[in-house]
Amino acid sequence: MSESPVLTKTPAATGTPVGRHDHTTPVLGRLGLFTVLLGAALPLIDFFIVNVALPTIDHDLAAGPALLELVVAGYGLSYAVLLVLGGRLGDMAGRRRLFLIGMAAFGLTSLACGLAPDAWTLVGARVAQGAAAALMLPQVLATIQAATAGHRRARAMSLYGATAGLSMVAGQILGGVLVSAAPLSSVFGESAGWRSVFLVNVPVAVVGLVLAARSVPETRSDRPAPVDVPGTLLLALSLVTLLAPLTEGRAAGWPLWTWVSLGLFPLTAFAFYRVEQRADARGQTPLVPPSLLRLESLRRGLTLVVPFSIGFGGFMFVIAVALQQGLRMGPAAAGLSLAPMAATFFAASLAGPRLVRRFGSRVVTAGGIIQGVGVVVLALAVWRGWPGLGLLGLLPGVAIAGLGQGLQLPVLFRIVLSDVPAERAGVGGGVMTTTQQAALALGVATLGTLFLALAPGAGMRDALVVTLLVQLAAVVLTTLLSLRLPRAVG
């Protein structure tokens, strides 16, 4: 990396600058790692935190099903569409700079969400919040790739994977607690619960800005490429034509535009691939270089991230609806029912690096088997215990599933990025996070639509069991695909 001299830290440093040295490679200390992981947690928490707040948003703003879908989908779409571009901009202008800009924008857009006077304003603020997240998140992986090496990088990647998985579960738990506690009720009255899930980001973003300015080193590509405008537009069009009709179709009654959009998706996706392929052949740097996808570790890792994230995203949305509307749990109870999943996920993430050193990628296979057992146990509990199912009845299934997920996701992230060169860290991180985010949104759209379509006729119990069995199929696919991963994990 061709960097100007930076404040560097020893590997054991806490992140406090100790002096100026003439090292050309920046070093990410402990405080810097904590700060970028905080930046990774915020966007993922906010993707899921609104799940348990949707009923209160509907009640307060009279949003209706279609606008409620947009509150979720608007964030997810802008986030997924702009992630790769965010990674490219970080490579060009400096990842620390883009991280700071993204963090500041995330805080401001969270404030706008929390103060929204009506449903359409909330939707617009959520779209802007997703765009801010897309500026911030790719810089996290790129900074880890560029400013760590060896065992420190392996540890940082494991912590990133643990943070990503925990954030997705913790978002729903935190959302339930905030909606029920309504800490701002003296200011906002009955709407304080759902507003709190957005406003809580503001002080966190301020702290993140202070810490990032102090502890995160600046990195950028030594051969930055210009923005690929045709590729960016076609990627955006491809994701919108797929995700927009799937997320809005059921609530809107599947109008003509949804089918036209789905019909256009394969055409836009093929056009995107061809444009990127031609740019790569001409020696240019496309938004998603096909040559990057030729890396075996990245390609095979991504094929597992997709079914894993589809199942995970769909499950988190469906369980929030089923517990609140089917079992009549309050937001806090619905959120806290997932606490065992968060605990076992975290424990597995901590054990992951040691297990990977001994067993390699077979840890992912074992994690898939364990997750599958957890989904089966949960489906049986729902089938036998409904409608008297409580937190104790849910505990075994969600705990076992969380253990399996914790053995998979952190390792998959390490595998995907293990062979990506440092100068392409931003692009590699953007490709991975875009794939993950698009798959999470696709899971909400597909499994969520399946559940909501079955529930009126079959009932909540049967709809949830069928959805869990579909998720189980995704788990089985992930487990089988894991057998094709390179045995050694870099």
Side-chain angles (χ1 to χ4, degrees):
M1 303 290 293
S2 58
E3 303 283 339
S4 57
V6 294
L7 294 177
T8 59
K9 303 95 182 165
T10 64
T14 62
T16 304
V18 294
R20 230 183 227 287
H21 303 283
D22 293 328
H23 299 302
T24 58
T25 302
V27 176
L28 185 67
R30 291 179 182 173
L31 183 59
L33 178 60
F34 170 81
T35 303
V36 295
L37 291 179
L38 178 65
L42 282 176
L44 289 168
I45 286 174
D46 262 60
F47 183 80
F48 291 95
I49 199 170
V50 298
N51 283 347
V52 291
L54 290 176
T56 56
I57 294 174
D58 187 23
H59 177 266
D60 188 55
L61 300 182
L67 281 181
L68 286 178
E69 293 274 4
L70 279 177
V71 170
V72 178
Y75 177 88
L77 275 173
S78 63
Y79 184 25
V81 162
L82 297 173
L83 272 167
V84 179
L85 179 61
R88 173 65 58 83
L89 292 175
D91 287 349
M92 293 173 57
R95 292 153 188 153
R96 176 177 175 270
R97 178 181 299 174
L98 263 292
F99 183 84
L100 289 168
I101 292 171
M103 179 73 78
F106 194 83
L108 291 173
T109 53
S110 296
L111 180 63
C113 289
L115 299 179
D118 54 63
W120 278 110
T121 303
L122 178 59
V123 169
R126 284 284 284 173
V127 171
Q129 190 187 35
L135 288 180
M136 178 169 58
L137 186 63
Q139 318 317 325
V140 176
L141 282 170
T143 298
I144 290 174
Q145 287 287 97
T148 61
H151 73 279
R152 293 182 65 247
R153 180 181 292 176
R155 177 174 174 271
M157 287 302 302
S158 294
L159 288 173
Y160 175 87
T163 300
L166 266 178
S167 299
M168 292 186 278
V169 181
Q172 236 149 275
I173 298 173
L174 179 62
V177 171
L178 287 173
V179 170
S180 298
L184 300 174
S185 56
S186 61
V187 180
F188 295 108
E190 292 185 0
S191 68
W194 71 261
R195 294 184 189 277
S196 296
V197 305
F198 299 115
L199 294 177
V200 71
N201 294 328
V202 178
V204 177
V206 172
V207 171
L209 284 170
V210 173
L211 293 179
R214 174 181 173 84
S215 63
V216 177
E218 182 65 282
T219 65
R220 57 171 55 85
S221 175
D222 55 0
R223 293 188 299 274
V227 172
D228 175 14
V229 176
T232 301
L233 293 176
L234 283 170
L235 176 63
L237 189 60
S238 299
L239 291 174
V240 168
T241 54
L242 174 65
L243 296 177
L246 289 177
T247 52
E248 280 296 295
R250 185 198 60 83
W254 297 105
L256 178 62
W257 73 263
T258 59
W259 300 108
V260 172
S261 182
L262 287 172
L264 287 174
F265 166 68
L267 302 177
T268 56
F270 179 73
F272 169 69
Y273 175 75
R274 291 292 295 167
V275 165
E276 300 298 273
Q277 190 179 49
R278 284 198 293 267
D280 213 12
R282 289 196 296 264
Q284 299 170 347
T285 306
L287 189 71
V288 180
S291 56
L292 193 66
L293 298 177
R294 286 197 288 269
L295 294 173
E296 183 183 22
S297 55
L298 183 139
R299 187 177 65 254
R300 292 191 176 182
L302 287 180
T303 60
L304 272 78
V305 169
V306 170
F308 179 93
S309 299
I310 287 174
F312 195 101
F315 169 79
M316 297 297 286
F317 175 80
V318 167
I319 201 70
V321 175
L323 295 183
Q324 290 187 87
Q325 295 185 10
L327 295 180
R328 303 300 177 189
M329 288 186 180
L336 290 173
S337 66
L338 298 177
M341 177 179 285
T344 54
F345 189 106
F346 186 63
S349 300
L350 293 180
R354 293 191 299 274
L355 294 172
V356 166
R357 283 196 293 272
R358 183 171 181 182
F359 301 108
S361 65
R362 291 299 173 261
V363 172
V364 178
T365 306
I369 294 171
I370 294 170
Q371 185 189 359
V373 171
V375 173
V376 171
V377 170
L378 182 58
L380 289 173
V382 170
W383 180 260
R384 293 174 177 174
W386 199 276
L389 189 62
L391 298 183
L392 288 178
L394 293 167
L395 190 150
V398 296
I400 296 170
L403 182 67
Q405 290 162 348
L407 292 174
Q408 294 174 83
L409 194 61
V411 182
L412 285 177
F413 285 167
R414 281 180 59 182
I415 290 171
V416 168
L417 296 177
S418 58
D419 294 329
V420 175
E423 67 271 11
R424 297 177 118 180
V427 176
V431 169
M432 190 187 76
T433 48
T434 297
T435 302
Q436 181 199 18
Q437 181 59 37
L440 286 171
L442 189 60
V444 173
T446 53
L447 294 185
T449 297
L450 173 66
F451 173 78
L452 294 172
L454 290 175
M460 284 278 184
R461 184 197 71 169
D462 291 358
L464 180 55
V465 170
V466 170
T467 306
L468 287 171
L469 293 178
V470 173
Q471 185 197 2
L472 180 62
V475 174
V476 171
L477 177 61
T478 304
T479 306
L480 292 175
L481 289 172
S482 71
L483 298 173
R484 300 180 65 247
L485 290 172
R487 185 65 181 266
V489 179

